[in-house]
Amino acid sequence: MEQIMNDTSGHQNPEKRPKKGLPVTYISRVEIFSACHRLHSKHLTDEENVDVFGKCNNPNGHGHNYKVEVTLRGPVDPKTGMVINLVDLKKYMNKAIMDTMDHKHLDLDVSYFKDVVSTTENVCVYIWERMLEQLPSKALLFEVKVHETDKNIVRYRGESTTNDHIASE
C-alpha cells in the first residue's frame, strides 16, 4: 500500500492518499405537519374498534402535530460535497408530506387511508412510499421516523414480511 506523503508544511497530501471509495453519510431533514384522524378498522365491529382503539376511535377524530424525520444514506459527491441538495430534499418532502397531509383529515382527505387504518405505523409507511416516488434514486431512502407525540415514535426502513404468518379469513 502506498504511504501517505507529507508536504513541506507537515500536512498530508490528499493526492498521495491510497485510493478508496467515497464516504457514505446519513442526512436527515425534519418537517412538522398537523392532521386529524380516527383509528377505526372496517375489519372490526364498532364494539371491537372501541375496545382496540379506545378514545382514539372517537367518531369526530382527534389530531396531532406529527414530526417527521426523513433520513437518506448515500455517498458524498466529491464535486458538491453533498449526498443530496437540502433544497431538493425539502421540495421532495413538501410534495410527499406537506402537500398531501398537512391540515388534513387523513381518513377523509388522503385516499391511501380509505381502506388502511391511519395508525402512526401506516402513516410512516405512506410517507416512505411517497418519498420513494419523489427521490431521484430509491436507494437513497434509509429511514422515515414519525413522532406522533413526544412518547410515541415509529420508524420504517422499507422492510416487509410475508403474509404466511397471518391466518386466512
Side-chain angles (χ1 to χ4, degrees), residues 19-34:
K19 299 275 187 206
K20 65 177 188 174
L22 298 173
V24 172
T25 63
Y26 297 78
I27 183 167
S28 299
R29 180 169 170 80
V30 175
E31 290 290 349
I32 297 173
F33 72 93
S34 300

mmCIF file with all atom_site columns, all heavy atoms in Angstrom, residues 19-34:
data_model
loop_
_atom_site.group_PDB
_atom_site.id
_atom_site.type_symbol
_atom_site.label_atom_id
_atom_site.label_alt_id
_atom_site.label_comp_id
_atom_site.label_asym_id
_atom_site.label_entity_id
_atom_site.label_seq_id
_atom_site.pdbx_PDB_ins_code
_atom_site.Cartn_x
_atom_site.Cartn_y
_atom_site.Cartn_z
_atom_site.occupancy
_atom_site.B_iso_or_equiv
_atom_site.pdbx_formal_charge
_atom_site.auth_seq_id
_atom_site.auth_comp_id
_atom_site.auth_asym_id
_atom_site.auth_atom_id
_atom_site.pdbx_PDB_model_num
ATOM 1   N N   . LYS A 1 19 ? -6.142  5.186  -2.737 1.00 0.00 ? 19 LYS A N   1
ATOM 2   C CA  . LYS A 1 19 ? -7.480  5.318  -3.304 1.00 0.00 ? 19 LYS A CA  1
ATOM 3   C C   . LYS A 1 19 ? -8.454  4.442  -2.535 1.00 0.00 ? 19 LYS A C   1
ATOM 4   O O   . LYS A 1 19 ? -8.160  3.292  -2.220 1.00 0.00 ? 19 LYS A O   1
ATOM 5   C CB  . LYS A 1 19 ? -7.490  4.899  -4.779 1.00 0.00 ? 19 LYS A CB  1
ATOM 6   C CG  . LYS A 1 19 ? -6.597  5.738  -5.655 1.00 0.00 ? 19 LYS A CG  1
ATOM 7   C CD  . LYS A 1 19 ? -7.317  6.978  -6.091 1.00 0.00 ? 19 LYS A CD  1
ATOM 8   C CE  . LYS A 1 19 ? -6.450  7.690  -7.105 1.00 0.00 ? 19 LYS A CE  1
ATOM 9   N NZ  . LYS A 1 19 ? -6.668  9.080  -7.183 1.00 0.00 ? 19 LYS A NZ  1
ATOM 10  N N   . LYS A 1 20 ? -9.615  4.984  -2.216 1.00 0.00 ? 20 LYS A N   1
ATOM 11  C CA  . LYS A 1 20 ? -10.674 4.206  -1.606 1.00 0.00 ? 20 LYS A CA  1
ATOM 12  C C   . LYS A 1 20 ? -11.999 4.794  -2.076 1.00 0.00 ? 20 LYS A C   1
ATOM 13  O O   . LYS A 1 20 ? -12.038 5.830  -2.720 1.00 0.00 ? 20 LYS A O   1
ATOM 14  C CB  . LYS A 1 20 ? -10.561 4.177  -0.082 1.00 0.00 ? 20 LYS A CB  1
ATOM 15  C CG  . LYS A 1 20 ? -10.753 5.516  0.594  1.00 0.00 ? 20 LYS A CG  1
ATOM 16  C CD  . LYS A 1 20 ? -10.687 5.328  2.091  1.00 0.00 ? 20 LYS A CD  1
ATOM 17  C CE  . LYS A 1 20 ? -11.077 6.634  2.788  1.00 0.00 ? 20 LYS A CE  1
ATOM 18  N NZ  . LYS A 1 20 ? -11.177 6.471  4.223  1.00 0.00 ? 20 LYS A NZ  1
ATOM 19  N N   . GLY A 1 21 ? -13.101 4.137  -1.718 1.00 0.00 ? 21 GLY A N   1
ATOM 20  C CA  . GLY A 1 21 ? -14.418 4.590  -2.136 1.00 0.00 ? 21 GLY A CA  1
ATOM 21  C C   . GLY A 1 21 ? -14.803 5.913  -1.488 1.00 0.00 ? 21 GLY A C   1
ATOM 22  O O   . GLY A 1 21 ? -14.126 6.423  -0.602 1.00 0.00 ? 21 GLY A O   1
ATOM 23  N N   . LEU A 1 22 ? -15.907 6.436  -1.965 1.00 0.00 ? 22 LEU A N   1
ATOM 24  C CA  . LEU A 1 22 ? -16.417 7.687  -1.413 1.00 0.00 ? 22 LEU A CA  1
ATOM 25  C C   . LEU A 1 22 ? -17.002 7.451  -0.025 1.00 0.00 ? 22 LEU A C   1
ATOM 26  O O   . LEU A 1 22 ? -17.588 6.403  0.229  1.00 0.00 ? 22 LEU A O   1
ATOM 27  C CB  . LEU A 1 22 ? -17.516 8.244  -2.328 1.00 0.00 ? 22 LEU A CB  1
ATOM 28  C CG  . LEU A 1 22 ? -17.096 8.594  -3.753 1.00 0.00 ? 22 LEU A CG  1
ATOM 29  C CD1 . LEU A 1 22 ? -18.303 8.962  -4.592 1.00 0.00 ? 22 LEU A CD1 1
ATOM 30  C CD2 . LEU A 1 22 ? -16.092 9.736  -3.729 1.00 0.00 ? 22 LEU A CD2 1
ATOM 31  N N   . PRO A 1 23 ? -16.876 8.439  0.858  1.00 0.00 ? 23 PRO A N   1
ATOM 32  C CA  . PRO A 1 23 ? -17.503 8.294  2.178  1.00 0.00 ? 23 PRO A CA  1
ATOM 33  C C   . PRO A 1 23 ? -19.028 8.281  2.034  1.00 0.00 ? 23 PRO A C   1
ATOM 34  O O   . PRO A 1 23 ? -19.590 8.982  1.196  1.00 0.00 ? 23 PRO A O   1
ATOM 35  C CB  . PRO A 1 23 ? -17.023 9.527  2.946  1.00 0.00 ? 23 PRO A CB  1
ATOM 36  C CG  . PRO A 1 23 ? -16.535 10.488 1.928  1.00 0.00 ? 23 PRO A CG  1
ATOM 37  C CD  . PRO A 1 23 ? -16.162 9.702  0.707  1.00 0.00 ? 23 PRO A CD  1
ATOM 38  N N   . VAL A 1 24 ? -19.674 7.474  2.861  1.00 0.00 ? 24 VAL A N   1
ATOM 39  C CA  . VAL A 1 24 ? -21.125 7.385  2.874  1.00 0.00 ? 24 VAL A CA  1
ATOM 40  C C   . VAL A 1 24 ? -21.613 8.038  4.160  1.00 0.00 ? 24 VAL A C   1
ATOM 41  O O   . VAL A 1 24 ? -21.132 7.710  5.245  1.00 0.00 ? 24 VAL A O   1
ATOM 42  C CB  . VAL A 1 24 ? -21.594 5.910  2.809  1.00 0.00 ? 24 VAL A CB  1
ATOM 43  C CG1 . VAL A 1 24 ? -23.091 5.802  3.013  1.00 0.00 ? 24 VAL A CG1 1
ATOM 44  C CG2 . VAL A 1 24 ? -21.180 5.301  1.474  1.00 0.00 ? 24 VAL A CG2 1
ATOM 45  N N   . THR A 1 25 ? -22.561 8.974  4.027  1.00 0.00 ? 25 THR A N   1
ATOM 46  C CA  . THR A 1 25 ? -23.097 9.653  5.202  1.00 0.00 ? 25 THR A CA  1
ATOM 47  C C   . THR A 1 25 ? -24.617 9.546  5.213  1.00 0.00 ? 25 THR A C   1
ATOM 48  O O   . THR A 1 25 ? -25.244 9.180  4.216  1.00 0.00 ? 25 THR A O   1
ATOM 49  C CB  . THR A 1 25 ? -22.699 11.143 5.244  1.00 0.00 ? 25 THR A CB  1
ATOM 50  O OG1 . THR A 1 25 ? -23.263 11.816 4.125  1.00 0.00 ? 25 THR A OG1 1
ATOM 51  C CG2 . THR A 1 25 ? -21.190 11.321 5.250  1.00 0.00 ? 25 THR A CG2 1
ATOM 52  N N   . TYR A 1 26 ? -25.178 9.879  6.367  1.00 0.00 ? 26 TYR A N   1
ATOM 53  C CA  . TYR A 1 26 ? -26.622 9.898  6.574  1.00 0.00 ? 26 TYR A CA  1
ATOM 54  C C   . TYR A 1 26 ? -27.025 11.347 6.763  1.00 0.00 ? 26 TYR A C   1
ATOM 55  O O   . TYR A 1 26 ? -26.398 12.069 7.544  1.00 0.00 ? 26 TYR A O   1
ATOM 56  C CB  . TYR A 1 26 ? -26.996 9.095  7.826  1.00 0.00 ? 26 TYR A CB  1
ATOM 57  C CG  . TYR A 1 26 ? -26.645 7.632  7.707  1.00 0.00 ? 26 TYR A CG  1
ATOM 58  C CD1 . TYR A 1 26 ? -25.333 7.197  7.880  1.00 0.00 ? 26 TYR A CD1 1
ATOM 59  C CD2 . TYR A 1 26 ? -27.615 6.684  7.423  1.00 0.00 ? 26 TYR A CD2 1
ATOM 60  C CE1 . TYR A 1 26 ? -24.999 5.859  7.769  1.00 0.00 ? 26 TYR A CE1 1
ATOM 61  C CE2 . TYR A 1 26 ? -27.291 5.338  7.320  1.00 0.00 ? 26 TYR A CE2 1
ATOM 62  C CZ  . TYR A 1 26 ? -25.985 4.936  7.491  1.00 0.00 ? 26 TYR A CZ  1
ATOM 63  O OH  . TYR A 1 26 ? -25.669 3.607  7.377  1.00 0.00 ? 26 TYR A OH  1
ATOM 64  N N   . ILE A 1 27 ? -28.053 11.767 6.064  1.00 0.00 ? 27 ILE A N   1
ATOM 65  C CA  . ILE A 1 27 ? -28.530 13.145 6.177  1.00 0.00 ? 27 ILE A CA  1
ATOM 66  C C   . ILE A 1 27 ? -30.027 13.109 6.440  1.00 0.00 ? 27 ILE A C   1
ATOM 67  O O   . ILE A 1 27 ? -30.760 12.362 5.799  1.00 0.00 ? 27 ILE A O   1
ATOM 68  C CB  . ILE A 1 27 ? -28.177 13.973 4.919  1.00 0.00 ? 27 ILE A CB  1
ATOM 69  C CG1 . ILE A 1 27 ? -28.615 15.414 5.079  1.00 0.00 ? 27 ILE A CG1 1
ATOM 70  C CG2 . ILE A 1 27 ? -28.741 13.353 3.657  1.00 0.00 ? 27 ILE A CG2 1
ATOM 71  C CD1 . ILE A 1 27 ? -28.030 16.346 4.039  1.00 0.00 ? 27 ILE A CD1 1
ATOM 72  N N   . SER A 1 28 ? -30.454 13.886 7.431  1.00 0.00 ? 28 SER A N   1
ATOM 73  C CA  . SER A 1 28 ? -31.864 13.900 7.818  1.00 0.00 ? 28 SER A CA  1
ATOM 74  C C   . SER A 1 28 ? -32.424 15.302 7.735  1.00 0.00 ? 28 SER A C   1
ATOM 75  O O   . SER A 1 28 ? -31.713 16.282 7.949  1.00 0.00 ? 28 SER A O   1
ATOM 76  C CB  . SER A 1 28 ? -32.034 13.399 9.257  1.00 0.00 ? 28 SER A CB  1
ATOM 77  O OG  . SER A 1 28 ? -31.579 12.083 9.393  1.00 0.00 ? 28 SER A OG  1
ATOM 78  N N   . ARG A 1 29 ? -33.710 15.354 7.452  1.00 0.00 ? 29 ARG A N   1
ATOM 79  C CA  . ARG A 1 29 ? -34.454 16.617 7.461  1.00 0.00 ? 29 ARG A CA  1
ATOM 80  C C   . ARG A 1 29 ? -35.751 16.364 8.216  1.00 0.00 ? 29 ARG A C   1
ATOM 81  O O   . ARG A 1 29 ? -36.342 15.291 8.120  1.00 0.00 ? 29 ARG A O   1
ATOM 82  C CB  . ARG A 1 29 ? -34.738 17.115 6.053  1.00 0.00 ? 29 ARG A CB  1
ATOM 83  C CG  . ARG A 1 29 ? -35.507 18.428 6.066  1.00 0.00 ? 29 ARG A CG  1
ATOM 84  C CD  . ARG A 1 29 ? -35.571 19.094 4.709  1.00 0.00 ? 29 ARG A CD  1
ATOM 85  N NE  . ARG A 1 29 ? -36.493 20.197 4.759  1.00 0.00 ? 29 ARG A NE  1
ATOM 86  C CZ  . ARG A 1 29 ? -36.228 21.404 5.246  1.00 0.00 ? 29 ARG A CZ  1
ATOM 87  N NH1 . ARG A 1 29 ? -35.029 21.668 5.708  1.00 0.00 ? 29 ARG A NH1 1
ATOM 88  N NH2 . ARG A 1 29 ? -37.149 22.344 5.263  1.00 0.00 ? 29 ARG A NH2 1
ATOM 89  N N   . VAL A 1 30 ? -36.207 17.379 8.935  1.00 0.00 ? 30 VAL A N   1
ATOM 90  C CA  . VAL A 1 30 ? -37.409 17.281 9.754  1.00 0.00 ? 30 VAL A CA  1
ATOM 91  C C   . VAL A 1 30 ? -38.471 18.232 9.224  1.00 0.00 ? 30 VAL A C   1
ATOM 92  O O   . VAL A 1 30 ? -38.171 19.367 8.856  1.00 0.00 ? 30 VAL A O   1
ATOM 93  C CB  . VAL A 1 30 ? -37.085 17.633 11.229 1.00 0.00 ? 30 VAL A CB  1
ATOM 94  C CG1 . VAL A 1 30 ? -38.338 17.670 12.081 1.00 0.00 ? 30 VAL A CG1 1
ATOM 95  C CG2 . VAL A 1 30 ? -36.075 16.647 11.796 1.00 0.00 ? 30 VAL A CG2 1
ATOM 96  N N   . GLU A 1 31 ? -39.698 17.754 9.184  1.00 0.00 ? 31 GLU A N   1
ATOM 97  C CA  . GLU A 1 31 ? -40.867 18.590 8.899  1.00 0.00 ? 31 GLU A CA  1
ATOM 98  C C   . GLU A 1 31 ? -41.911 18.285 9.961  1.00 0.00 ? 31 GLU A C   1
ATOM 99  O O   . GLU A 1 31 ? -41.934 17.180 10.519 1.00 0.00 ? 31 GLU A O   1
ATOM 100 C CB  . GLU A 1 31 ? -41.456 18.301 7.514  1.00 0.00 ? 31 GLU A CB  1
ATOM 101 C CG  . GLU A 1 31 ? -40.612 18.754 6.343  1.00 0.00 ? 31 GLU A CG  1
ATOM 102 C CD  . GLU A 1 31 ? -40.537 20.260 6.168  1.00 0.00 ? 31 GLU A CD  1
ATOM 103 O OE1 . GLU A 1 31 ? -41.307 21.005 6.824  1.00 0.00 ? 31 GLU A OE1 1
ATOM 104 O OE2 . GLU A 1 31 ? -39.681 20.701 5.381  1.00 0.00 ? 31 GLU A OE2 1
ATOM 105 N N   . ILE A 1 32 ? -42.774 19.246 10.237 1.00 0.00 ? 32 ILE A N   1
ATOM 106 C CA  . ILE A 1 32 ? -43.872 19.058 11.177 1.00 0.00 ? 32 ILE A CA  1
ATOM 107 C C   . ILE A 1 32 ? -45.166 19.374 10.458 1.00 0.00 ? 32 ILE A C   1
ATOM 108 O O   . ILE A 1 32 ? -45.264 20.395 9.770  1.00 0.00 ? 32 ILE A O   1
ATOM 109 C CB  . ILE A 1 32 ? -43.694 19.964 12.410 1.00 0.00 ? 32 ILE A CB  1
ATOM 110 C CG1 . ILE A 1 32 ? -42.419 19.557 13.156 1.00 0.00 ? 32 ILE A CG1 1
ATOM 111 C CG2 . ILE A 1 32 ? -44.919 19.892 13.323 1.00 0.00 ? 32 ILE A CG2 1
ATOM 112 C CD1 . ILE A 1 32 ? -42.036 20.476 14.288 1.00 0.00 ? 32 ILE A CD1 1
ATOM 113 N N   . PHE A 1 33 ? -46.143 18.474 10.590 1.00 0.00 ? 33 PHE A N   1
ATOM 114 C CA  . PHE A 1 33 ? -47.452 18.743 9.999  1.00 0.00 ? 33 PHE A CA  1
ATOM 115 C C   . PHE A 1 33 ? -48.543 18.427 11.008 1.00 0.00 ? 33 PHE A C   1
ATOM 116 O O   . PHE A 1 33 ? -48.361 17.623 11.925 1.00 0.00 ? 33 PHE A O   1
ATOM 117 C CB  . PHE A 1 33 ? -47.656 17.963 8.694  1.00 0.00 ? 33 PHE A CB  1
ATOM 118 C CG  . PHE A 1 33 ? -47.870 16.482 8.849  1.00 0.00 ? 33 PHE A CG  1
ATOM 119 C CD1 . PHE A 1 33 ? -49.152 15.953 8.931  1.00 0.00 ? 33 PHE A CD1 1
ATOM 120 C CD2 . PHE A 1 33 ? -46.800 15.612 8.891  1.00 0.00 ? 33 PHE A CD2 1
ATOM 121 C CE1 . PHE A 1 33 ? -49.359 14.593 9.057  1.00 0.00 ? 33 PHE A CE1 1
ATOM 122 C CE2 . PHE A 1 33 ? -46.984 14.247 9.009  1.00 0.00 ? 33 PHE A CE2 1
ATOM 123 C CZ  . PHE A 1 33 ? -48.277 13.726 9.100  1.00 0.00 ? 33 PHE A CZ  1
ATOM 124 N N   . SER A 1 34 ? -49.663 19.096 10.852 1.00 0.00 ? 34 SER A N   1
ATOM 125 C CA  . SER A 1 34 ? -50.827 18.889 11.709 1.00 0.00 ? 34 SER A CA  1
ATOM 126 C C   . SER A 1 34 ? -51.889 18.171 10.917 1.00 0.00 ? 34 SER A C   1
ATOM 127 O O   . SER A 1 34 ? -52.164 18.527 9.766  1.00 0.00 ? 34 SER A O   1
ATOM 128 C CB  . SER A 1 34 ? -51.380 20.232 12.198 1.00 0.00 ? 34 SER A CB  1
ATOM 129 O OG  . SER A 1 34 ? -50.399 20.915 12.942 1.00 0.00 ? 34 SER A OG  1
#
